[in-house]
Amino acid sequence: MSKQLPYTIVDAFTTQVFLGNPAAVLVLENPLSNEEMQFIAREFNLSDTAFISPTSEPTVFDMVWYTPGREVSMCGHASVASAYVLDLPHVTFKTRLGAGDVSARKAPDGTVSIEFPAGDPISLGEDMKTRVAETLRRACKLDAVPKINFVGEPADPFKGYLLIHVDDELDIASLQVDSGCLAAELPDHFLQIITNAPPAHLKEQGKQFVSRVFAGAAGVIEDPVCGSAHCILTPYWTKLLGQEGRELAAKQVSARSGDLWVEWNTTKSRVTIKGKAVTAATGVLNVPTSLGGN
């Protein structure tokens, strides 16, 4: 026998199926074990799967996130996807690994906004910039060591995130990145964010920064559009551009690509992330009562 669990796959930070970042969302009638949730996330093999459980309050839900390889402390695109699936004007997600309460709103036009902790990155110094530059040269098979403008990491709950601002003349969208090399040579940071200023055609569209995100150590070769990474990117670019108190337009330039609008509230130390979403698939997952095997 097996449990039959309805699921929805949502492409977040886009209005078109096959773009943005796909997340599987399961709204649970009964709790699942950690082992079951990890197996399910591995089965979907998406960068994140969200498990939502109703509470006694109609607009409050418990939520956890799993990649194919591990439970994670937060996930922006799966939170956007979850709010999109629930289709309520306002919900609060109660999380368990450090993100705290995540507030989400869905506007009449379908735009979803979520509020996460801010992760203002602290510089790791010149020696780390040199090390990261050499790592990128090898991981991207570049002819020369790239110029690095900044390397930094935020505090908890973003332990293990690394922000790398490379030369703004480098077209990061065209880089062929070996995320396994990044994971092996930067073992203290399971998620690496590469960012710089947008190329001319994206500047003309109003974009203010671009990024790509890799998390090979968590089983994610490249995260197509990473919401939690923008909790670090937003404070960094807000200060760099002198845009305190203003919303910024961002684009993640992975092969799937995605669009985000972000704002840093310095008083509350929170980042608001906005984006669109679209349903890519719905179905029922058959979960065996006995897990494991060869």
Side-chain angles (χ1 to χ4, degrees):
M1 295 183 64
S2 62
K3 303 175 187 177
Q4 293 191 317
L5 302 179
Y7 69 84
T8 305
I9 294 178
V10 174
D11 291 339
F13 301 121
T14 184
T15 58
Q16 298 181 55
V17 172
F18 304 143
L19 297 180
N21 201 355
V25 178
L26 290 86
V27 182
L28 305 176
E29 293 184 1
N30 299 297
L32 296 174
S33 69
N34 293 340
E35 183 186 30
E36 287 174 313
M37 289 188 285
Q38 185 65 79
F39 268 94
I40 291 168
R42 194 173 74 182
E43 179 70 16
F44 282 117
N45 200 32
L46 300 173
S47 53
D48 270 286
T49 296
F51 299 89
I52 306 171
S53 301
T55 69
S56 58
E57 301 178 60
T59 61
V60 179
F61 297 82
D62 293 326
M63 183 161 66
V64 295
W65 305 279
Y66 277 82
T67 74
R70 62 188 285 181
E71 183 179 359
V72 291
S73 60
M74 64 180 63
C75 177
H77 86 278
S79 298
V80 168
S82 298
Y84 180 83
V85 167
L86 292 172
D87 197 23
L88 296 169
H90 176 264
V91 295
T92 298
F93 296 121
K94 303 188 81 65
T95 71
R96 68 183 187 183
L97 284 187
D101 290 355
V102 175
S103 176
R105 297 182 181 276
K106 187 176 182 182
D109 69 353
T111 300
V112 175
S113 62
I114 55 174
E115 188 180 274
F116 266 5
D120 192 6
I122 299 170
S123 172
L124 293 177
E126 294 301 317
D127 288 346
M128 188 63 174
K129 285 170 66 174
T130 300
R131 176 183 169 192
V132 167
E134 287 290 346
T135 295
L136 284 181
R137 182 185 64 79
R138 288 188 286 271
C140 303
K141 296 180 172 60
L142 299 173
D143 293 333
V145 175
K147 177 184 175 184
I148 304 294
N149 295 325
F150 177 87
V151 174
E153 63 180 4
D156 285 341
F158 300 98
K159 183 176 176 58
Y161 285 56
L162 184 69
L163 179 66
I164 306 165
H165 181 180
V166 301
D167 188 345
D168 289 335
E169 298 301 315
L170 191 64
D171 178 15
I172 65 172
S174 67
L175 294 178
Q176 300 297 312
V177 183
D178 180 349
S179 66
C181 177
L182 294 180
E185 297 199 20
L186 301 169
D188 294 333
H189 299 92
F190 78 91
L191 185 145
Q192 302 89 30
I193 307 163
I194 300 175
T195 187
N196 66 3
H201 73 282
L202 292 180
K203 284 183 180 178
E204 291 173 0
Q205 297 174 21
K207 302 304 181 185
Q208 289 156 291
F209 64 90
V210 296
S211 64
R212 289 178 68 184
V213 176
F214 303 90
V220 180
I221 294 173
E222 179 169 4
D223 196 358
V225 195
C226 182
S228 63
H230 283 77
C231 296
I232 296 102
L233 287 159
T234 302
Y236 177 76
W237 281 102
T238 296
K239 291 193 296 185
L240 190 64
L241 298 174
Q243 296 290 308
E244 287 80 358
R246 297 182 182 180
E247 187 175 85
L248 303 180
K251 191 173 189 73
Q252 197 153 327
V253 289
S254 64
R256 293 182 63 107
S257 78
D259 299 292
L260 312 89
W261 290 263
V262 296
E263 185 174 347
W264 181 29
N265 185 320
T266 56
T267 302
K268 296 169 62 178
S269 191
R270 306 286 283 182
V271 168
T272 298
I273 302 171
K274 295 181 182 178
K276 298 280 192 175
V278 60
T279 299
T282 58
V284 175
L285 183 69
N286 297 312
V287 180
T289 54
S290 178
L291 298 176
N294 295 328

